[in-house]
Amino acid sequence: GAGVSQTPSNKVTEKGKYVELRCDPISGHTALYWYRQSLGQGPEFLIYFQGTGAADDSGLPNDRFFAVRPEGSVSTLKIQRTERGDSAVYLCASDFVGDIQYFGAGTRLSVL
Amino acid sequence: GQNIDQPTEMTATEGAIVQINCTYQTSGFNGLFWYQQHAGEAPTFLSYNVLDGLEEKGRFSSFLSRSKGYSYLLLKELQMKDSASYLCAVRAGDYKLSFGAGTTVTVRA
């Protein structure tokens, strides 16, 4: 596609539920990143994929968070047993490693 | 980890110039990026510096001093559409970006 696409744009869920957030990167980009942005803050790194493998998942806050990229293109960020503190905008970016990262518009997650 | 500081807010008049400063402390520095983010939208790439000096792109310029851990973004001939948050980000190593909290610029008529 022309840009990084993220779905859904908004997700409202209840505490304790499971959610999946999807990212479709720019075609051909080998690297994919997930960031989380809280109100009034800059994006914070969560996880980085090179191809199908998670090369760095050091930013995932705990084991309720997991992400996959099974075919080296689309990625899904999965959050189990959501908590109110998980509410934020989840941003996805892609690039050729070492190049400029291009961001999607994000998924705004609200946990009630 | 990285420590990236930038002012929280700045206000300027349409047609004027605004300079947004960013200071950072990092190991393995491999580039400094500026992104623009309008409310509810994706961060959009503005500029990239990896060597010392000034990079100019139209109305936007960015400067880097690696020895001082300092960068600035200069916005000239401000327009109302330039009202947005401006994010300073540092890359350490090959990939990970660490962002400052962003500077909200308000352009007034």
Side-chain angles (χ1 to χ4, degrees):
Chain A
V4 178
S5 176
Q6 292 188 246
T7 54
S9 55
N10 285 282
K11 177 69 178 178
V12 180
T13 190
E14 294 179 345
K15 180 172 178 268
K17 298 290 189 183
Y18 168 83
V19 295
E20 289 190 351
L21 313 179
R22 175 188 167 104
C23 173
D24 198 343
I26 292 172
S27 179
H29 277 184
T30 54
L32 184 146
Y33 313 79
W34 284 98
Y35 293 84
R36 179 167 72 174
Q37 186 173 26
S38 300
L39 193 63
Q41 300 298 316
E44 290 181 298
F45 171 80
L46 295 177
I47 187 169
Y48 153 62
F49 287 89
Q50 179 58 257
T52 60
D56 182 351
D57 64 358
S58 62
L60 294 178
N62 52 61
D63 61 6
R64 294 187 297 106
F65 289 74
F66 188 71
V68 295
R69 194 186 186 201
E71 298 178 355
S73 179
V74 171
S75 176
T76 305
L77 178 65
K78 308 180 181 193
I79 310 175
Q80 299 177 321
R81 305 184 303 281
T82 52
E83 299 178 356
R84 293 194 178 88
D86 299 335
S87 296
V89 176
Y90 289 81
L91 294 166
C92 178
S94 70
D95 70 359
F96 298 107
V97 176
D99 201 354
I100 298 162
Q101 291 184 24
Y102 293 92
F103 284 81
T107 295
R108 182 175 301 277
L109 176 66
S110 300
V111 182
L112 304 180
Chain B
Q2 324 300 328
N3 188 16
I4 301 163
D5 290 315
Q6 52 182 127
T8 304
E9 294 182 341
M10 302 184 75
T11 301
T13 305
E14 196 174 14
I17 298 172
V18 69
Q19 177 174 316
I20 306 170
N21 296 324
C22 173
T23 59
Y24 64 90
Q25 295 175 311
T26 187
S27 56
F29 177 85
N30 190 22
L32 188 139
F33 296 77
W34 285 95
Y35 284 83
Q36 180 191 60
Q37 188 177 29
H38 286 98
E41 297 184 10
T44 304
F45 170 75
L46 289 178
S47 71
Y48 164 63
N49 297 71
V50 66
L51 299 176
D52 291 352
L54 187 68
E55 293 284 339
E56 297 187 83
K57 290 176 67 175
R59 294 189 299 114
F60 295 172
S61 303
S62 59
F63 171 83
L64 175 68
S65 170
R66 289 172 296 169
S67 63
K68 295 182 179 177
Y70 168 69
S71 174
Y72 67 72
L73 179 70
L74 196 69
L75 314 181
K76 293 177 271 191
E77 302 169 16
L78 280 173
Q79 302 175 9
M80 299 299 287
K81 66 178 182 180
D82 297 330
S83 292
S85 178
Y86 291 85
L87 299 164
C88 173
V90 172
R91 183 168 61 196
D94 287 336
Y95 54 90
K96 189 188 306 186
L97 292 181
S98 296
F99 285 84
T103 299
T104 300
V105 171
T106 302
V107 180
R108 294 186 172 164

